[in-house]
Amino acid sequence: MAWVTKGIWHSCCSAPRVLLGRRLNVYVIGSVTLIALGLTLFQAKVELRSLTEEVERSALALAEIQESAAEPLLQGGSSAALQALVDRFQNRGQSVGEAIYDVKGQPLAITAALAANVVFPPSAVVQAMRHGWRQSEFLPVGGKPMHVLALPLKSNDAVIGAIAIFQDAAGVASHDASVWRHALENLAVQTVLILIITIVVVRWSLRRPLRRMAQWLEDLRTGKTPVESELPKEALFRPLAKEVSRIATSLQAARAAADEEAHLRDTAQALWTPERLRIFVQTKLDGARLFAVSNREPYEHNTRAGSVVWSVPASGLVTALEPVLQACDGTWVAQATGDADRESADDRGRVRVPPGHPQYTLRRVWLSKEEEDGFYFGFANEGLWPLCHIAHTRPIFRSEDWAAYQVVNQKFADALLEEIEGEKNPVVLVQDYHFALLPQMIKKQRPDARIAIFWHIPWPNPEAFGICPWQREMLDGMLSADLIGFHIQAHCNNFLETVDRALESRIDWESFAVNRRDHVTVVRPFPISVAFSAANVDLTPAPDPDAERTALFRQLGVEASLLGLGVDRIDYTKGIVERFRGIERFLELFPFYRGQLTFVQIGAPSRTHIKRYQDLMLEVEAEAERINQRWRKGEWKPIVLLERQHSHEEIKPYYRGANFCLVTSLHDGMNLVAKEYVASRADRDGVLILSRFAGASQQLQDALMVNPYDTEELAQAIHTALEMPSEERSARMERMREQVRENNVYRWAGDLIGELTGIRLGKADAQKPRAPLSAVPPREFEEVAAGGMRHRG
Ligand code: G6P
């Protein structure tokens, strides 16, 4: 038996010690013993109380019988009668005897067996007479445990004495001892049982999840990718699992950053950096300088509260071109749009930028209001913009706008000619649909200039472009460039087909070049990108996205836990209303997310002089308001619309904290928000939901692709994004980051400038196609109705 007890004791002590550690072991055994002791004491007390109550009940019954007989006898003062009453009473039940006292506590009658041992009245008797109410007590009488119950005897409510019933309490005393013995035995058994149960519970509820967590951490330490869903799910472990998963995310991010650094070291030759671009451009330009022309200026100076402040306008073009100019120290000619632009520049409109650490020259061009209305708002943005974007807004072409377009193109050409004066073989990068005529205007004066025009928006099919009444002039203007760039191959194809339909020219479909009046223009795709390289990407792990989200929500005064994000100019091509409907449908289909997901739309007001844009802003606001009215509850609402221009610095925390970013362009040349979001996610988290009608969808194939017109698909994509396991999120984001890193904007500029400087220039009539073109045999052409030459082969 002893060895069994010893064995149990040993396993009771050793098993929890193994499982819980020595200190915890002491706590567990100590607490278990205390609990069992407490229970035992409580049980013993209850039993003793019920035993005492039983003795007291029987004594009271006897006393009440005697009371009614004793009171008149005591009143009559007959001691003999009282003694006779007491004598009659002997040996009833457990009773040993009784005694009757007068009001002074003198015994008037007492059972003979008690007389010798009860000399003084018991205190219960004294108390009963004092308080006029029954009292009881245990006391030893003649060496035996005795229970005494005393009742006051009364006459006309006045206490005249007391009667005391003495009962043998040996049973209670011995029972008391046995209760304690049993209780202690119980204590031992309960302690052992509780310990055994504790061990079993510990084994099943703690050891298995702890083992799983240990295995998970080991996988993480040894470089395997642990699966988040394998972390313990039990409520007890949730806070721990959350912390462990956060540590894992940071560790993975740090490891990925280290890998990335190593990778960058290994592939230093393959990746484009600002430094590599600078050296490349210097070599390629061979002493020539780089010039860029765009309508939108990279820095605007405005007066705010009496002082001049600068800002960077919301423009994909600016986002892309700025790092290139910074790397090459060229000159950027652009329209002055800030009210303090003039006072911030010299008398020729030049200012070194970026403000504070100048790296290149901005040459500003001022337009009159009429010029801006006709050129920018009219021809460019009411005509060409909707013409090139298939977003179902009708293009408007007015001849006065066309006239302004020509005037302004000439004005910019003049400014550029001034800048390149004296420069040998300058390299000019003309930007966008605002300046289709510029290449021709410059070439006329400076045939030695190498000119590329990069078209930042889509090029539609020939039928659509044919709507433009001046398509031939536009095409002619562009074809004076040596190189025409689009974001994707499909836009190059559309352009060549348009030229093919509209103009007399020779098109080489193999090398994608057009020969028009003996001038050769090469047409190529150059997918534009963002500044993502080893040199300017923060490789340290990003701040905790949860904390970033919480801070943003606090700042916005919204109570939510999940953040969806959209960042756009408010433009009808961006599908903002469609996106809101996707959010609405998502909340309809998945009510669980109500109160949790808030979608923040950062919307920069754009082209606000144009009625279509004014209407759109009202529509976007009304749609956000309608959806918010439908679902909002307490401090939560589904959509936050931030209608103002935000700086890159302001947008960054949103990118870093967003659980998903929604890019739902109805049609887009590239869309750099998609790439900025990817470049911002150093933690490899977050999901990109991307319109298949944005050029970026050709490169960011790990995004969740959507048709923004399909509300159901949008809602399902949001759900997929929010439910996506973290390993998949991270794998997809990593692949997209790889894409953007390798195809960053430095590479875009390098490819564009490399292609342009590789083109052999000559006198217009003597110009030959580049080497690959000259190898192409002449082809046969036929006249087409549009007056162009059609390639038969
Ligand atoms: C697109 C165009 C750019 C233009 C930008 C912003 O990205 O391709 O040329 O700068 O939108 O538009 P905005 O009219 O404000 O310059």
Side-chain angles (χ1 to χ4, degrees):
M1 188 64 195
W3 65 264
V4 174
T5 322
K6 231 171 145 186
I8 292 175
W9 179 248
H10 176 75
S11 57
C12 288
C13 293
S14 64
R17 186 163 59 233
V18 169
L19 292 176
L20 304 171
R22 194 162 289 159
R23 184 178 272 201
L24 204 54
N25 175 28
V26 170
Y27 288 148
V28 168
I29 293 177
S31 343
V32 164
T33 313
L34 273 178
I35 292 169
L37 188 62
L39 286 173
T40 306
L41 280 176
F42 178 71
Q43 195 185 338
K45 271 199 152 183
V46 168
E47 281 191 31
L48 207 59
R49 192 183 304 144
S50 78
L51 215 59
T52 310
E53 277 171 6
E54 204 181 299
V55 172
E56 224 170 295
R57 234 187 340 268
S58 74
L60 184 63
L62 291 172
E64 279 171 355
I65 295 170
Q66 291 295 89
E67 179 190 23
S68 47
E71 270 171 359
L73 295 177
L74 183 59
Q75 236 173 317
S78 165
S79 298
L82 286 170
Q83 188 60 48
L85 178 71
V86 165
D87 291 342
R88 268 203 315 275
F89 175 73
Q90 281 193 62
N91 297 328
R92 291 206 194 165
Q94 290 174 310
S95 162
V96 175
E98 73 175 44
I100 295 172
Y101 296 89
D102 69 9
V103 76
K104 290 190 185 123
Q106 294 299 320
L108 299 176
I110 188 162
T111 307
L114 292 174
N117 296 318
V118 182
V119 181
F120 300 107
S123 101
V125 170
V126 177
Q127 295 300 327
M129 285 195 286
R130 182 173 300 159
H131 299 297
W133 184 245
R134 77 161 194 261
Q135 302 288 330
S136 64
E137 67 177 316
F138 284 97
L139 78 174
V141 175
K144 286 183 187 163
M146 202 73 75
H147 175 264
V148 180
L149 179 124
L151 269 189
L153 297 173
K154 297 179 182 173
S155 164
N156 295 332
D157 279 349
V159 176
I160 52 171
I163 181 165
I165 306 292
F166 290 78
Q167 291 197 109
D168 186 358
V172 177
S174 73
H175 196 81
D176 189 17
S178 87
V179 161
W180 276 104
R181 202 175 51 250
H182 275 119
L184 286 173
E185 282 165 12
N186 278 351
L187 170 68
V189 172
Q190 278 174 17
T191 306
V192 170
L193 273 178
I194 292 175
L195 269 174
I196 291 172
I197 292 167
T198 308
I199 292 165
V200 172
V201 170
V202 163
R203 260 177 190 274
W204 287 100
S205 64
L206 295 182
R207 204 170 74 153
R208 285 170 124 219
L210 278 174
R211 265 202 190 151
R212 278 212 313 274
M213 193 169 291
Q215 182 60 49
W216 202 87
L217 285 167
E218 189 183 319
D219 286 352
L220 184 71
R221 180 175 55 77
T222 51
K224 292 181 202 147
T225 308
V227 184
E228 194 178 311
S229 55
E230 280 175 9
L231 274 173
K233 299 241 167 357
E234 292 79 356
L236 183 66
F237 284 90
R238 235 172 263 147
L240 187 59
K242 203 171 167 194
E243 277 312 311
V244 165
S245 138
R246 276 190 189 159
I247 292 172
T249 310
S250 315
L251 192 64
Q252 274 167 337
R255 218 180 249 154
D259 288 351
E260 184 160 295
E261 254 181 327
H263 179 68
L264 290 175
R265 275 197 302 276
D266 291 348
T267 56
Q269 294 309 305
L271 287 181
W272 282 86
T273 61
E275 186 54 16
R276 178 171 172 197
L277 178 65
R278 196 179 57 74
I279 294 166
F280 176 83
V281 171
Q282 272 172 6
T283 317
K284 290 286 173 187
L285 296 187
D286 194 20
R289 288 196 65 224
L290 184 73
F291 296 85
V293 187
S294 76
N295 172 62
R296 186 57 61 196
E297 63 176 339
Y299 293 93
E300 211 177 56
H301 286 90
N302 285 291
T303 314
R304 297 262 184 280
S307 52
V308 173
V309 293
W310 60 268
S311 60
V312 177
S315 156
L317 180 153
V318 168
T319 307
L321 211 57
E322 158 85 346
V324 178
L325 267 288
Q326 284 193 12
C328 305
D329 188 3
T331 295
W332 185 336
V333 182
Q335 192 198 156
T337 43
D339 60 21
D341 272 355
R342 207 178 284 276
E343 62 194 86
S344 322
D346 68 13
D347 51 4
R348 295 181 72 179
R350 288 179 182 152
V351 54
R352 293 285 290 171
V353 288
H357 49 104
Q359 285 170 282
Y360 66 95
T361 302
L362 168 62
R363 162 75 194 266
R364 285 169 168 156
V365 175
W366 278 267
L367 301 184
S368 69
K369 185 177 175 316
E370 293 69 35
E371 284 170 343
E372 192 186 20
D373 283 350
F375 152 77
Y376 172 74
F377 290 112
F379 196 76
N381 287 323
E382 285 190 291
L384 294 178
W385 181 268
L387 178 81
C388 292
H389 288 94
I390 313 298
H392 313 288
T393 288
R394 209 179 214 186
I396 300 169
F397 288 108
R398 306 178 190 94
S399 54
E400 59 272 28
D401 292 347
W402 168 239
Y405 188 80
Q406 295 171 82
V407 167
V408 171
N409 268 246
Q410 190 59 59
K411 204 166 186 174
F412 272 79
D414 294 344
L416 182 78
L417 288 168
E418 215 176 286
E419 292 300 319
I420 61 179
E421 200 178 331
E423 296 285 343
K424 217 172 140 231
N425 303 121
V427 172
V428 183
L429 305 179
V430 178
Q431 305 298 314
D432 233 352
Y433 59 101
H434 307 91
F435 296 115
L437 308 179
L438 209 66
Q440 196 174 35
M441 292 169 172
I442 299 166
K443 275 281 184 183
K444 239 187 225 162
Q445 305 290 324
R446 291 290 302 266
D448 67 316
R450 283 173 189 279
I451 304 178
I453 177 164
F454 189 82
W455 200 261
H456 288 258
I457 62 176
W459 189 281
N461 62 41
E463 290 77 17
F465 199 81
I467 291 170
C468 173
W470 300 282
Q471 68 158 333
R472 299 185 68 184
E473 289 83 343
M474 297 269 302
L475 292 171
D476 246 344
M478 290 171 77
L479 287 172
S480 291
D482 303 293
L483 174 64
I484 299 178
F486 294 96
H487 291 301
I488 58 173
Q489 186 63 48
H491 299 158
C492 298
N493 298 353
N494 284 347
F495 176 78
L496 287 191
E497 279 171 19
T498 308
V499 172
D500 198 7
R501 294 265 184 101
L503 292 183
E504 191 174 323
S505 63
R506 206 145 51 99
I507 296 178
D508 186 317
W509 285 96
E510 272 165 43
S511 55
F512 271 76
V514 182
N515 187 331
R516 166 98 171 137
R517 299 192 182 119
D518 279 342
H519 175 76
V520 175
T521 306
V522 178
V523 180
R524 290 275 185 279
F526 300 98
I528 207 160
S529 194
V530 291
F532 184 6
S533 82
N536 52 14
V537 161
D538 185 6
L539 289 175
T540 56
D544 177 11
D546 290 349
E548 199 113 48
R549 259 196 306 279
T550 311
L552 288 171
F553 283 136
R554 198 175 309 123
Q555 205 175 300
L556 297 171
V558 173
E559 263 177 27
S561 53
L562 298 167
L563 172 67
L565 178 67
V567 181
D568 305 84
R569 282 183 307 103
I570 301 184
D571 193 295
Y572 51 82
T573 59
K574 304 294 179 185
I576 299 174
V577 170
E578 284 75 4
R579 164 181 330 177
F580 287 178
R581 290 190 187 137
I583 298 284
E584 180 183 31
R585 184 69 185 131
F586 167 76
L587 292 172
E588 265 169 19
L589 288 176
F590 306 102
F592 168 75
Y593 285 96
R594 292 178 206 158
Q596 292 203 58
L597 171 71
T598 289
F599 183 76
V600 174
Q601 175 64 51
I602 296 181
S606 176
R607 305 171 190 170
T608 45
H609 284 43
I610 300 174
K611 174 136 190 335
R612 177 71 182 89
Y613 284 80
Q614 293 162 7
D615 293 347
L616 176 74
M617 275 180 75
L618 294 177
E619 199 188 343
V620 165
E621 284 163 12
E623 202 59 6
E625 187 52 27
R626 181 185 67 75
I627 296 167
N628 280 340
Q629 285 303 336
R630 182 171 174 199
W631 299 115
R632 78 180 326 148
K633 202 167 180 199
E635 296 303 303
W636 173 78
K637 57 178 173 174
I639 297 176
V640 174
L641 176 59
L642 302 176
E643 256 180 307
R644 71 168 174 85
Q645 158 81 20
H646 284 64
S647 69
H648 287 310
E649 286 311 309
E650 285 177 300
I651 297 173
K652 270 186 197 167
Y654 285 96
Y655 278 146
R656 290 193 302 245
N659 296 87
F660 63 87
C661 179
L662 253 183
V663 175
T664 53
S665 312
L666 305 181
H667 199 188
D668 219 331
M670 175 54 65
N671 195 293
L672 291 184
V673 167
K675 293 189 176 181
E676 275 181 353
Y677 178 59
V678 168
S680 306
R681 297 313 299 248
D683 61 347
R684 278 112 189 120
D685 208 342
V687 180
L688 175 65
I689 302 175
L690 179 58
S691 162
R692 62 180 61 128
F693 307 130
S697 66
Q698 299 209 348
Q699 289 151 29
L700 303 177
Q701 303 212 343
D702 276 286
L704 297 180
M705 296 300 173
V706 287
N707 169 359
Y709 294 93
D710 186 341
T711 310
E712 294 298 319
E713 193 180 68
L714 270 179
Q716 292 298 343
I718 294 169
H719 186 245
T720 308
L722 290 175
E723 298 280 315
M724 191 182 282
S726 77
E727 305 80 45
E728 187 182 344
R729 289 200 303 268
S730 159
R732 282 174 180 259
M733 187 53 85
E734 179 50 36
R735 286 193 292 266
M736 290 194 284
R737 284 172 67 78
E738 191 71 25
Q739 231 293 330
V740 179
R741 190 169 33 228
E742 280 176 15
N743 298 287
N744 59 18
V745 75
Y746 306 108
R747 178 175 189 167
W748 170 80
D751 287 351
L752 186 73
I753 295 167
E755 186 81 39
L756 180 60
T757 51
I759 293 172
R760 186 147 39 91
L761 299 186
K763 283 189 188 145
D765 57 356
Q767 216 170 18
K768 296 278 183 302
R770 293 185 320 135
L773 285 182
S774 58
V776 177
R779 306 209 174 221
E780 295 173 71
F781 291 88
E782 64 172 4
E783 287 282 344
V784 289
M789 302 286 286
R790 186 142 191 76
H791 177 214
R792 257 198 216 124

